[in-house]
Amino acid sequence: MTHQLDLVEMEIRRHDWSAMLCGCGESGGHLPALLLELAAQTGAGAGIDYEGVARHVVSPADMFLEPTPPVVAVIMAVLASKTSGYARVAYLEMLLSILSADAQEPLPALEGRDVAAECEAEVRRGLWALYAEVLSSKSIDARSHAYEILTLIEEDEERVERLQETAGERLPWDLRS
């Protein structure tokens, strides 16, 4: 794997994927390969899409699953890496989908956990990567997804307003002030 994905690989190695129940009903042991394949993609049709990966992470009923928090950590590593615009948009779209979920599956492994809070905390640790995405991405999709994620999790509303002003026409018309 190239140096571009070193951070992603490092984050993937932090988790015991085989010990997790995947959204497909199997062990999550196959998730690292899917996550790396998506991170390495440079365009549509080159392999799997984010929806193919997202089905393993969030249930069809938009409920969190056991691998959801580790996948969020991998997404943040992708955003801190030099990955293709295609991969960044795919991962930002997946992150937006994850953060929009509102419940968690009643799985024994998730009992007593607040998976939504865990995911939000992980994203907040890499908040500046989202700001940078809004201000510097060449992709309007990446900029808009990153901005929408920030509106969901950023606690400093004034900072988001300043971002909106600063980004100006780089944001789609419906996200501008």
Side-chain angles (χ1 to χ4, degrees):
M1 198 50 56
T2 67
H3 292 295
Q4 294 177 348
L5 295 178
D6 285 349
L7 286 174
V8 178
E9 290 175 326
M10 181 186 76
E11 186 58 39
I12 285 173
R13 285 192 304 268
R14 290 187 54 238
H15 306 282
D16 185 1
W17 299 95
S18 295
M20 297 176 213
L21 179 62
C22 181
C24 67
E26 302 293 324
S27 155
H30 63 282
L31 285 173
L34 288 175
L35 295 167
L36 283 170
E37 183 180 347
L38 182 58
Q41 280 187 219
T42 58
I48 59 171
D49 62 2
Y50 100 90
E51 290 173 345
V53 176
R55 283 185 283 250
H56 296 270
V57 180
V58 178
S59 79
D62 284 335
M63 298 178 89
F64 300 115
L65 299 167
E66 200 171 350
T68 306
V71 168
V72 169
V74 170
I75 291 170
M76 298 312 293
V78 166
L79 296 179
S81 300
K82 292 182 180 180
T83 52
S84 74
Y86 177 82
R88 298 177 84 72
V89 169
Y91 271 107
L92 283 163
E93 199 165 334
M94 188 182 338
L95 183 57
L96 186 56
S97 174
I98 289 169
L99 294 174
S100 298
D102 59 1
Q104 59 194 52
E105 285 283 351
L107 300 170
L110 299 179
E111 192 171 321
R113 291 174 58 186
D114 184 347
V115 176
E118 290 177 32
C119 292
E120 288 179 15
E122 188 64 47
V123 175
R124 281 192 183 98
R125 282 191 277 279
L127 207 59
W128 291 110
L130 294 167
Y131 279 95
E133 199 72 40
V134 172
L135 295 173
S136 64
S137 178
K138 294 177 183 172
S139 164
I140 193 160
D141 290 332
R143 292 189 306 261
S144 63
H145 294 329
Y147 179 79
E148 289 181 81
I149 291 165
L150 285 164
T151 64
L152 291 174
I153 64 156
E154 174 59 273
E155 294 170 341
D156 187 339
E157 291 178 23
E158 182 183 344
R159 184 176 286 144
V160 174
E161 289 173 12
R162 297 288 173 254
L163 174 65
Q164 188 181 43
E165 291 170 9
T166 302
E169 291 185 8
R170 287 177 271 191
L171 290 174
W173 68 268
D174 60 327
L175 297 178
R176 297 178 198 159
S177 52

